[in-house]
Short mmCIF file of all heavy atoms in Angstrom, two decimals:
data_model
loop_
_atom_site.label_atom_id
_atom_site.label_comp_id
_atom_site.label_asym_id
_atom_site.label_seq_id
_atom_site.Cartn_x
_atom_site.Cartn_y
_atom_site.Cartn_z
N ARG A 38 -56.33 44.05 -72.03
CA ARG A 38 -55.86 43.80 -70.71
C ARG A 38 -54.80 42.70 -70.74
O ARG A 38 -54.79 41.87 -71.68
CB ARG A 38 -56.95 43.39 -69.73
CG ARG A 38 -57.64 42.06 -70.01
CD ARG A 38 -58.74 41.87 -69.04
NE ARG A 38 -59.43 40.58 -69.27
CZ ARG A 38 -60.55 40.23 -68.68
NH1 ARG A 38 -61.15 41.00 -67.78
NH2 ARG A 38 -61.09 39.02 -68.89
N GLN A 39 -53.91 42.76 -69.75
CA GLN A 39 -52.84 41.75 -69.72
C GLN A 39 -52.57 41.40 -68.28
O GLN A 39 -52.21 42.26 -67.49
CB GLN A 39 -51.55 42.28 -70.38
CG GLN A 39 -50.48 41.20 -70.48
CD GLN A 39 -49.33 41.67 -71.39
OE1 GLN A 39 -49.17 42.80 -71.65
NE2 GLN A 39 -48.60 40.69 -71.88
N ALA A 40 -52.80 40.14 -67.93
CA ALA A 40 -52.54 39.61 -66.58
C ALA A 40 -51.11 39.07 -66.58
O ALA A 40 -50.58 38.69 -67.62
CB ALA A 40 -53.53 38.58 -66.23
N PRO A 41 -50.51 39.01 -65.41
CA PRO A 41 -49.13 38.48 -65.31
C PRO A 41 -49.01 37.09 -65.92
O PRO A 41 -49.84 36.20 -65.60
CB PRO A 41 -48.87 38.47 -63.86
CG PRO A 41 -49.71 39.53 -63.26
CD PRO A 41 -50.96 39.51 -64.12
N GLY A 42 -48.04 36.90 -66.77
CA GLY A 42 -47.83 35.58 -67.39
C GLY A 42 -48.79 35.25 -68.55
O GLY A 42 -48.69 34.10 -69.08
N LYS A 43 -49.65 36.17 -68.90
CA LYS A 43 -50.60 35.92 -69.98
C LYS A 43 -50.41 36.89 -71.10
O LYS A 43 -49.83 37.98 -70.93
CB LYS A 43 -52.03 35.98 -69.42
CG LYS A 43 -52.36 34.91 -68.42
CD LYS A 43 -53.87 34.92 -68.06
CE LYS A 43 -54.20 33.78 -67.09
NZ LYS A 43 -55.65 33.79 -66.82
N GLU A 44 -50.97 36.53 -72.25
CA GLU A 44 -50.90 37.41 -73.38
C GLU A 44 -51.91 38.58 -73.27
O GLU A 44 -52.91 38.42 -72.57
CB GLU A 44 -51.15 36.64 -74.67
CG GLU A 44 -50.07 35.66 -75.08
CD GLU A 44 -50.29 35.06 -76.40
OE1 GLU A 44 -51.32 35.31 -77.08
OE2 GLU A 44 -49.41 34.31 -76.90
N ARG A 45 -51.61 39.64 -73.93
CA ARG A 45 -52.55 40.76 -73.91
C ARG A 45 -53.76 40.35 -74.73
O ARG A 45 -53.66 39.80 -75.81
CB ARG A 45 -51.86 42.00 -74.54
CG ARG A 45 -52.68 43.26 -74.41
CD ARG A 45 -51.81 44.46 -74.82
NE ARG A 45 -50.65 44.65 -73.94
CZ ARG A 45 -49.88 45.76 -73.98
NH1 ARG A 45 -50.15 46.74 -74.81
NH2 ARG A 45 -48.85 45.86 -73.14
N GLU A 46 -54.94 40.63 -74.18
CA GLU A 46 -56.18 40.24 -74.85
C GLU A 46 -57.13 41.43 -75.00
O GLU A 46 -57.15 42.29 -74.19
CB GLU A 46 -56.89 39.13 -74.07
CG GLU A 46 -57.37 39.49 -72.67
CD GLU A 46 -58.20 38.48 -72.03
OE1 GLU A 46 -58.63 37.51 -72.71
OE2 GLU A 46 -58.55 38.61 -70.84
N PRO A 88 -62.32 38.18 -59.77
CA PRO A 88 -60.85 38.09 -59.55
C PRO A 88 -60.12 37.91 -60.86
O PRO A 88 -59.00 38.40 -61.01
CB PRO A 88 -60.65 36.92 -58.57
CG PRO A 88 -61.94 36.96 -57.76
CD PRO A 88 -63.02 37.29 -58.76
N GLU A 89 -60.76 37.12 -61.74
CA GLU A 89 -60.08 36.92 -63.08
C GLU A 89 -60.04 38.12 -63.98
O GLU A 89 -59.38 38.08 -65.01
CB GLU A 89 -60.72 35.72 -63.81
CG GLU A 89 -62.22 35.82 -63.94
CD GLU A 89 -62.93 35.04 -62.85
OE1 GLU A 89 -62.53 35.13 -61.65
OE2 GLU A 89 -63.94 34.37 -63.17
N ASP A 90 -60.67 39.21 -63.55
CA ASP A 90 -60.55 40.45 -64.32
C ASP A 90 -59.29 41.25 -63.90
O ASP A 90 -58.98 42.27 -64.52
CB ASP A 90 -61.77 41.34 -64.05
CG ASP A 90 -63.05 40.75 -64.59
OD1 ASP A 90 -63.01 40.22 -65.71
OD2 ASP A 90 -64.07 40.85 -63.87
N THR A 91 -58.57 40.75 -62.92
CA THR A 91 -57.37 41.40 -62.47
C THR A 91 -56.32 41.48 -63.55
O THR A 91 -55.96 40.40 -64.15
CB THR A 91 -56.77 40.73 -61.26
OG1 THR A 91 -57.66 40.82 -60.17
CG2 THR A 91 -55.41 41.27 -60.84
N ALA A 92 -55.85 42.66 -63.91
CA ALA A 92 -54.96 42.80 -65.00
C ALA A 92 -54.55 44.29 -65.16
O ALA A 92 -55.19 45.11 -64.53
CB ALA A 92 -55.51 42.31 -66.30
N MET A 93 -53.55 44.51 -65.99
CA MET A 93 -53.27 45.88 -66.41
C MET A 93 -54.16 46.15 -67.63
O MET A 93 -54.15 45.33 -68.57
CB MET A 93 -51.77 46.03 -66.79
CG MET A 93 -51.36 47.45 -67.18
SD MET A 93 -51.35 48.49 -65.72
CE MET A 93 -49.79 48.05 -64.97
N TYR A 94 -54.86 47.23 -67.59
CA TYR A 94 -55.78 47.55 -68.70
C TYR A 94 -55.17 48.67 -69.56
O TYR A 94 -54.71 49.69 -68.98
CB TYR A 94 -57.13 47.99 -68.14
CG TYR A 94 -57.96 46.80 -67.68
CD1 TYR A 94 -57.62 46.08 -66.56
CD2 TYR A 94 -59.10 46.36 -68.42
CE1 TYR A 94 -58.40 44.98 -66.13
CE2 TYR A 94 -59.81 45.27 -68.02
CZ TYR A 94 -59.47 44.56 -66.89
OH TYR A 94 -60.22 43.48 -66.49
N TYR A 95 -55.22 48.47 -70.83
CA TYR A 95 -54.65 49.41 -71.79
C TYR A 95 -55.66 49.92 -72.74
O TYR A 95 -56.49 49.18 -73.28
CB TYR A 95 -53.52 48.75 -72.61
CG TYR A 95 -52.33 48.28 -71.78
CD1 TYR A 95 -52.32 46.95 -71.28
CD2 TYR A 95 -51.28 49.12 -71.56
CE1 TYR A 95 -51.21 46.54 -70.55
CE2 TYR A 95 -50.18 48.66 -70.85
CZ TYR A 95 -50.16 47.38 -70.31
OH TYR A 95 -49.11 46.91 -69.57
N GLN A 122 -53.83 49.77 -63.61
CA GLN A 122 -53.98 48.46 -62.95
C GLN A 122 -55.37 48.30 -62.35
O GLN A 122 -55.85 49.21 -61.64
CB GLN A 122 -52.91 48.31 -61.87
CG GLN A 122 -52.97 47.01 -61.11
CD GLN A 122 -52.65 45.79 -61.94
OE1 GLN A 122 -51.77 45.86 -62.79
NE2 GLN A 122 -53.38 44.68 -61.71
N VAL A 123 -55.92 47.16 -62.58
CA VAL A 123 -57.21 46.82 -61.92
C VAL A 123 -56.98 45.49 -61.16
O VAL A 123 -56.50 44.50 -61.68
CB VAL A 123 -58.34 46.55 -62.98
CG1 VAL A 123 -59.57 45.95 -62.31
CG2 VAL A 123 -58.66 47.84 -63.67
N THR A 124 -57.28 45.53 -59.84
CA THR A 124 -57.09 44.36 -58.98
C THR A 124 -58.42 44.06 -58.32
O THR A 124 -58.99 44.93 -57.67
CB THR A 124 -56.03 44.62 -57.95
OG1 THR A 124 -54.80 44.96 -58.62
CG2 THR A 124 -55.80 43.38 -57.09
#
Side-chain angles (χ1 to χ4, degrees):
R38 67 185 180 187
Q39 188 168 20
K43 295 188 177 181
E44 291 188 356
R45 190 169 296 191
E46 63 172 351
E89 50 263 44
D90 295 318
T91 295
M93 184 71 79
Y94 282 72
Y95 297 91
Q122 179 67 37
V123 171
T124 302

